[in-house]
Amino acid sequence: MPNAISISNLSKTYEGGFTALHGIDLDIRDGEILALLGPNGAGKTTLISLVCGILNPTTGTVNVQGHDIIKDFRAARQLIGLVPQELHVETFETVWATVNYSRGLFGKKPDPALCERILKDLSLWDKKDNKIMQLSGGMKRRVMIAKALAHEPRILFLDEPTAGVDVELRKDMWQLVRRLRENGVTIILTTHYIEEAEEIADRVGVINKGRLILVEEKKELMRKLGKKQLTLELVEGLPELPEALSHYDLDVQDGGRRLVYSYDTQAARTGIGSLLADLNRAGIAVKDLDTEQSSLEDIFVSLVEEAR
Amino acid sequence: MNFEAIKAIYLFEMARMRRTLLQSVISPVLSTSLYFVVFGSAIGGRIQEVEGVQYGAFIVPGLIMLTLLQNSISNASFGIYFPKFVGTIYEVLSAPISFVEIVIGYVGAAATKSLILGVIILATAFLFVPIEIRHPFWMVFFLVATSITFSLFGFIIGIWADGFEKLQLIPLLVVTPLVFLGGSFYSIHMLPPFWRDVTLFNPVLYLISGFRWSFYETADVSVGVSIAMIFFFLAICLGLVWWIFRTGYRLKA
């Protein structure tokens, strides 16, 4: 599949000398949902701003479906929609005026039917004649999404779309993202909420201190870096760990009533079989067992800490 | 050219004027009427005529210029400063439009507003004093050229300003004094020779003089010089805008 966006050696050094991005190389595939994770100030927004033309890159190139963002900026930008992190809205305008304005700004002829559909999709239709300043924060966020969709972009950037957003809007938003993806729209989102990336993304990129630490299929990443834990509930509490089990990486919890065994899913031998056999041999009866895989959040934290 | 985008910006800005109709139209008309009352009636009662023109009529071109300059600058500077201030500029920067198109949209709208005001004030003036326009073509030329030039200037101020104070600084501290001292309310021939020479350094003098010539054929400096000067200002503003475009000054880091 061709790439929606190809970024090569992209870096940004601000006037004061601060380098926000160091030589980023990233290919974003057509039609995928890519989640960019990273702590505050990691360079996520800078990366998005460079691709969207809000900042000038210091080095490097960006191609959007084969169009260079500087030499061929009209074709490149036409394809992109951006929902920035901050709530930047035309306070005194009506919802309807501002969404139609956005469409015109991107060079598209007016299409009231389309704008109507977008507003209805975002539950904004009954607010269309309201001034934006009369809307709640969540509604303003919806307006910004409507503006970004008004010119029918093929690539959508969502910069922290769910920051400060209530549960209902968040649900609506993910529904919308899925629907857009079904229509072939490529989506790049940044988020602090790792469970969101875990739920929705196809691939995950981790940015820290202006560097892209990794980009990986979400499933692959979780398989590769994920640790699994086997929790065994015992019938009777162990006063202490028997000698026969001392060479296992076991954590004794709940006054000896629970054993937690950590193992690497990638290892040739996980050691579960022998552990169970040894337990049996030592006469320890198991009441229940449970396995748990580490979440993307654990992986993320360990990656960022490693880079420190 | 992305005409849809130019249209979008232009209409969006014009909608802002409709929304703020009261400030946009009523207040300049009111203040101009006050000038007529104060300068035209009170002082005009004593001066009567300047260079063969009734004093009340003599000051009309100057008053229109005053409004044109002030409004071109404030409309255009606010038009571009406000999106910068509230952050909505991100959308303009990320849209598939060139800087030239952005300038045409914003400056075009600001200049249109000024023109509308200029015409309204001219119409108001007809109510107060007898006015004749000997060179309608040149009158329209000065009206349009001044609106465009000073809207460009306002646009530059709007880009440069990083606070509301700066937005007001140049119009209040520079433009208003220059207009008052540029022969709006008198002919420079009424001044002592030294001040007459000093006034020749005031760029606004050339605008007012040329504009007044299109009405009454009386001028402080030759009309050719006035026309040359307005093109000179236009060139300076275009040069500055071009430089902003090249460097992304205060728009794009």
Side-chain angles (χ1 to χ4, degrees), chain A residues 12 14 52-56 73-74 77-78 82 84 87-93 97-98 101-102 104-110 131 144 147, chain B residues 1-2 4-9 12 15-16 19 82 86-99 101 106 247-248 251-253:
Chain A
K12 176 67 187 173
Y14 286 102
C52 294
I54 295 167
L55 292 173
N56 290 321
F73 72 95
R74 283 181 206 271
R77 291 186 194 170
Q78 188 98 59
L82 165 66
L87 282 176
H88 297 311
V89 284
E90 286 97 356
T91 322
F92 303 109
E93 298 296 335
T98 193
Y101 166 69
S102 297
L105 208 51
F106 278 75
K108 294 278 176 96
K109 291 234 170 346
K131 284 193 175 173
M144 295 192 56
K147 281 164 73 70
Chain B
M1 272 289 193
N2 184 342
E4 287 295 331
I6 297 175
K7 197 175 94 188
I9 294 176
F12 202 68
R16 195 159 63 81
R19 210 173 39 234
F82 194 64
V86 297
T88 49
I89 191 80
Y90 84 86
E91 198 178 20
V92 176
L93 293 177
S94 67
I97 50 177
S98 71
F99 191 73
E101 289 151 3
Y106 279 105
T247 58
L251 266 183
K252 227 172 167 182

Side-chain angles (χ1 to χ4, degrees), chain A residues 18-21 38-46 160 192 207-210:
Chain A
F18 172 68
T19 301
L21 279 186
N40 284 326
K44 304 184 295 283
T45 301
T46 302
E160 305 267 349
H192 279 313
I207 299 185
N208 192 33
K209 293 186 177 169

Side-chain angles (χ1 to χ4, degrees), chain B residues 141-217:
Chain B
F141 166 82
F142 276 107
L143 216 53
V144 173
T146 307
S147 299
I148 292 174
T149 304
F150 281 83
S151 295
L152 270 171
F153 185 50
F155 185 85
I156 294 163
I157 292 173
I159 298 263
W160 164 75
D162 49 13
F164 279 102
E165 298 81 13
K166 278 194 182 168
L167 215 52
Q168 294 295 329
L169 201 68
I170 303 236
L172 282 177
L173 251 56
V174 181
V175 175
T176 306
L178 285 183
V179 177
F180 271 80
L181 301 175
S184 298
F185 302 107
Y186 52 83
S187 160
I188 61 164
H189 301 303
M190 295 157 82
L191 297 174
F194 173 74
W195 291 110
R196 194 184 308 159
D197 293 345
V198 170
T199 308
L200 290 175
F201 286 98
N202 181 348
V204 177
L205 169 80
Y206 299 90
L207 301 178
I208 295 174
S209 168
F211 194 46
R212 185 177 289 136
W213 171 85
S214 71
F215 281 77
Y216 311 118
E217 284 184 341

Side-chain angles (χ1 to χ4, degrees), chain B residues 21-242:
Chain B
L21 202 64
L22 214 64
Q23 297 104 292
S24 298
V25 176
I26 311 282
S27 78
V29 170
L30 180 73
S31 61
T32 311
S33 304
L34 287 175
Y35 284 127
F36 273 123
V37 172
V38 175
F39 289 98
S41 305
I43 299 176
R46 289 161 195 268
I47 298 182
Q48 313 256 330
E49 264 190 9
V50 180
E51 296 178 6
V53 180
Q54 192 200 323
Y55 184 70
F58 178 84
I59 63 171
V60 170
L63 284 179
I64 294 174
M65 272 292 162
L66 175 68
T67 310
L68 222 53
L69 259 54
Q70 282 175 336
N71 279 277
S72 296
I73 291 175
S74 71
N75 284 334
S77 62
F78 195 76
I80 187 69
Y81 177 74
F82 194 64
K84 271 190 357 169
F85 177 71
V86 297
T88 49
I89 191 80
Y90 84 86
E91 198 178 20
V92 176
L93 293 177
S94 67
I97 50 177
S98 71
F99 191 73
V100 175
E101 289 151 3
I102 297 176
V103 170
I104 294 175
Y106 279 105
V107 171
T112 308
K113 288 182 210 174
S114 300
L115 268 179
I116 293 172
L117 276 180
V119 170
I120 290 176
I121 289 167
L122 184 59
T124 315
F126 271 106
L127 301 175
F128 289 88
V129 286
I131 295 170
E132 56 175 324
I133 301 168
R134 299 223 182 135
H135 303 279
F137 170 80
W138 288 109
M139 191 216 67
V140 173
F141 166 82
F142 276 107
L143 216 53
V144 173
T146 307
S147 299
I148 292 174
T149 304
F150 281 83
S151 295
L152 270 171
F153 185 50
F155 185 85
I156 294 163
I157 292 173
I159 298 263
W160 164 75
D162 49 13
F164 279 102
E165 298 81 13
K166 278 194 182 168
L167 215 52
Q168 294 295 329
L169 201 68
I170 303 236
L172 282 177
L173 251 56
V174 181
V175 175
T176 306
L178 285 183
V179 177
F180 271 80
L181 301 175
S184 298
F185 302 107
Y186 52 83
S187 160
I188 61 164
H189 301 303
M190 295 157 82
L191 297 174
F194 173 74
W195 291 110
R196 194 184 308 159
D197 293 345
V198 170
T199 308
L200 290 175
F201 286 98
N202 181 348
V204 177
L205 169 80
Y206 299 90
L207 301 178
I208 295 174
S209 168
F211 194 46
R212 185 177 289 136
W213 171 85
S214 71
F215 281 77
Y216 311 118
E217 284 184 341
T218 64
D220 293 330
V221 291
S222 103
V223 66
V225 177
S226 291
I227 293 167
M229 282 304 268
I230 196 148
F231 279 115
F232 177 63
F233 296 144
L234 189 62
I236 290 178
C237 290
L238 286 173
L240 277 170
V241 164
W242 180 80

Side-chain angles (χ1 to χ4, degrees), chain A residues 126-183:
Chain A
D126 57 330
K127 301 263 192 274
K128 78 181 174 73
D129 295 320
N130 284 44
K131 284 193 175 173
I132 293 177
M133 61 190 207
Q134 297 165 334
L135 302 181
S136 68
M139 283 292 170
K140 284 180 187 153
R141 175 83 52 191
R142 286 171 198 251
V143 171
M144 295 192 56
I145 299 170
K147 281 164 73 70
L149 294 176
H151 67 280
E152 304 156 276
R154 301 304 300 156
I155 299 163
L156 184 66
F157 282 93
L158 296 164
D159 196 358
E160 305 267 349
T162 50
V165 152
D166 66 10
V167 182
E168 195 193 348
L169 175 52
R170 200 178 295 178
K171 261 195 220 149
D172 283 3
M173 191 122 58
W174 296 139
Q175 241 167 33
L176 179 81
V177 165
R178 290 205 182 90
R179 212 160 49 226
L180 287 169
R181 204 260 292 263
E182 278 163 23
N183 292 327

